[in-house]
Amino acid sequence: MLATSALRSVVAVIIALAIPASAAPQPISKRSASELSLTAQLRLANTAIERYQLLPKDEDFVFNFNASDVPVATSQNFPALVGTGAAFSIGELPACSMSFLHLHPRATELFALTSGRLLSEMVPEAGVLDSEGKQRVISVELGPGMVTIYPAGSFHTQVNPDCEPANFAATFNSDEFAVGLVAAETFSLTDDVIAATFGQSIAGEDIETVRNAIPKTMAIKVEECLKKCGKQKRQA
């Protein structure tokens, strides 16, 4: 069982996976074998046998969440996952908080709650309608030992409406599943595109205000829960 201090927020997972590299990588074709990362060498291996040869230590097959800055194991920080089509994450959603509305473009996620309570909402692809002919939204309440599924590309979020943290584990069917932040990416488009997308309901002069109001470094606090629990809202 991991110590509480080792558990990280779901927000840390999302932010870490969403931040692009600071420099554009050099094409693999222009690198010598000695310049390639272990992950790249594993991807270029001809067979699974060759991949095992590139991972000679038994410790290469263990990922230590206690020693990791980011609570997610992917092929980028756990090369043994290359070729497995899998990744794994653990973390916690703090009390009175909501994770960013996000999606995973390359993977389906199985999300399991290990402690606490979460309210989950997921929006499937276009054309999936409810009984009234509107876009279906799948809303469920999760408790310890319960699992929900987020198909690849589906928008989803979790809300912790209680005064204690909720701990989770998640698995993905891609070793490099990635994260798309719905609000941040939508409002990265030009003002004209955003205005048209929202049916001109957002005035042009207000678009930048909305952009600047999108949280970047913390979970979205649930005001009603904060009052219930007597907690102060932290400033970003």
Side-chain angles (χ1 to χ4, degrees):
M1 184 71 178
L2 291 172
T4 302
S5 60
L7 292 174
R8 313 286 186 179
S9 165
V10 63
V11 180
V13 179
I14 297 172
I15 292 174
L17 291 171
I19 296 176
S22 58
Q26 185 180 9
I28 287 179
S29 61
K30 294 184 179 180
R31 302 184 197 176
S32 66
S34 62
E35 294 177 313
L36 296 176
S37 67
L38 177 57
T39 299
Q41 294 178 54
L42 289 164
R43 292 198 189 284
L44 292 173
N46 287 321
T47 65
I49 292 174
E50 288 186 10
R51 288 198 290 271
Y52 279 105
Q53 292 171 345
L54 288 166
L55 300 167
K57 301 177 182 179
D58 291 351
E59 292 78 12
D60 291 332
F61 294 87
V62 175
F63 184 83
N64 186 355
F65 281 102
N66 293 297
S68 176
D69 293 331
V70 179
V72 57
T74 73
S75 57
Q76 301 304 297
N77 60 0
F78 188 24
L81 289 176
V82 171
T84 65
F88 190 77
S89 174
I90 63 171
E92 73 174 29
L93 192 61
C96 299
S97 65
M98 183 182 90
S99 66
F100 294 101
L101 182 62
H102 65 284
L103 59 86
H104 304 294
R106 291 190 289 275
T108 290
E109 175 183 3
L110 285 174
F111 183 94
L113 200 62
T114 56
S115 71
R117 181 172 70 108
L118 289 179
L119 307 178
S120 165
E121 291 198 8
M122 184 267 286
V123 181
E125 63 192 83
V128 179
L129 308 179
D130 61 18
S131 59
E132 298 179 351
K134 300 177 182 179
Q135 172 69 53
R136 185 176 180 186
V137 177
I138 296 174
S139 302
V140 296
E141 181 175 321
L142 301 174
M146 299 175 69
V147 177
T148 191
I149 184 171
Y150 303 123
S154 62
F155 294 180
H156 57 277
T157 186
Q158 303 92 17
V159 176
N160 180 353
D162 295 331
C163 304
E164 300 297 328
N167 296 316
F168 69 88
T171 185
F172 305 84
N173 65 346
S174 168
D175 60 42
E176 190 185 359
F177 54 89
V179 170
L181 303 179
V182 177
E185 292 182 17
T186 298
F187 279 85
S188 69
L189 298 168
T190 63
D191 289 1
D192 289 344
V193 171
I194 293 172
T197 298
F198 288 90
Q200 310 299 327
S201 62
I202 303 178
E205 61 270 20
D206 294 332
I207 291 176
E208 192 62 27
T209 300
V210 175
R211 282 197 187 102
N212 293 333
I214 297 173
K216 296 179 177 64
T217 60
M218 60 184 288
I220 302 168
K221 290 298 179 180
V222 182
E223 298 288 352
E224 183 178 347
C225 178
L226 287 170
K227 293 177 182 178
K228 176 184 71 175
C229 300
K231 295 179 179 290
Q232 296 291 322
K233 183 175 182 179
R234 294 179 301 173
Q235 298 299 317

